[in-house]
Amino acid sequence: MREKPDTSSIPPAAQRIVFTLRTIGWISFGLQVVLGVVSAIILLVSVAFNTNTKTQGGTQGTGFGIFFAICGLVALGIGAFFAFRYTRISKQLLETGRPSKAETLQAIRLGLIVNLVGMLVTILGAQAVVGSVLTKSLSQQGAVLDPSRYVQPLDLFVVQGNVNTITAHFAGIVASLWLFNRVSK
């Protein structure tokens, strides 16, 4: 069994930073991983069962949206890595007193940038998918026998996957901003 490091030699302000980095890091990591896995499963199901990829009626937007959703998931994986890294930084601070405040703030800043870029890419994907679904729904006015022109449940799966990914990026952004505020004091 591992022994807990002696925290009595660490100043109270540093102890609070260690606790905050560890707690917020794990919460952010957990939220991003859970939402990312759910989004990945939703997108995999929608891609696997989407048999209308070569038809017309707004499917190009859905394909474009899926591409950006996958890019957003990759960025989410990197963002989750940064959230996990916050927990490792707290451990290093507790055990060795390193890294410095500037290095810690730089790690938090990079995590924030990754989540902002990921959120932007995912929003672009969501816009493409919503535009595609809107186009399909507007074209349903006439008596058309082409099923590719109707909104499919799988189209809505892609929208749900994008919304989950955006939520996960938002959690990462909030965590990074909270940590940045706490560490920079």
Side-chain angles (χ1 to χ4, degrees):
M1 186 174 231
R2 293 187 332 181
E3 292 182 24
K4 291 181 98 177
D6 181 26
T7 60
S8 62
S9 63
I10 298 174
Q15 287 179 8
R16 284 191 298 274
I17 289 172
V18 165
F19 176 76
T20 302
L21 278 168
R22 184 178 57 233
T23 304
I24 300 300
W26 280 119
I27 291 170
S28 176
F29 176 76
L31 283 171
Q32 289 184 49
V33 166
V34 168
L35 289 169
V37 167
V38 169
S39 294
I41 290 170
I42 288 171
L43 289 173
L44 284 173
V45 166
S46 68
V47 168
F49 291 108
N50 191 359
T51 58
N52 297 327
T53 56
K54 301 291 183 201
T55 59
Q56 297 176 349
T59 309
Q60 296 90 1
T62 303
F64 191 67
I66 290 173
F67 170 75
F68 276 118
I70 291 169
C71 292
L73 281 173
V74 169
L76 183 59
I78 297 168
F81 167 76
F82 274 98
F84 181 73
R85 188 172 171 203
Y86 303 153
T87 66
R88 300 301 89 199
I89 290 172
S90 74
K91 185 176 181 181
Q92 288 175 347
L93 285 170
L94 191 60
E95 293 174 353
T96 65
R98 301 281 309 155
S100 68
K101 182 177 179 179
E103 292 169 338
T104 303
L105 288 172
Q106 182 64 22
I108 295 169
R109 189 176 295 117
L110 286 173
L112 179 61
I113 291 168
V114 165
N115 279 304
L116 283 169
V117 169
M119 188 178 222
L120 173 67
V121 169
T122 308
I123 288 171
L124 290 174
Q127 292 290 345
V129 172
V130 168
S132 173
V133 170
L134 178 64
T135 301
K136 285 181 179 183
S137 68
L138 291 174
S139 69
Q140 292 176 358
Q141 300 300 323
V144 179
L145 297 176
D146 183 10
S148 69
R149 297 194 62 181
Y150 292 106
V151 175
Q152 303 293 318
L154 291 174
D155 295 331
L156 299 178
F157 263 124
V158 177
V159 172
Q160 181 64 51
N162 276 322
V163 170
N164 287 351
T165 305
I166 290 168
T167 305
H169 282 298
F170 180 76
I173 290 167
V174 168
S176 294
L177 287 172
W178 179 269
L179 289 173
F180 196 81
N181 184 32
R182 292 294 182 195
V183 172
S184 65
K185 285 184 180 179

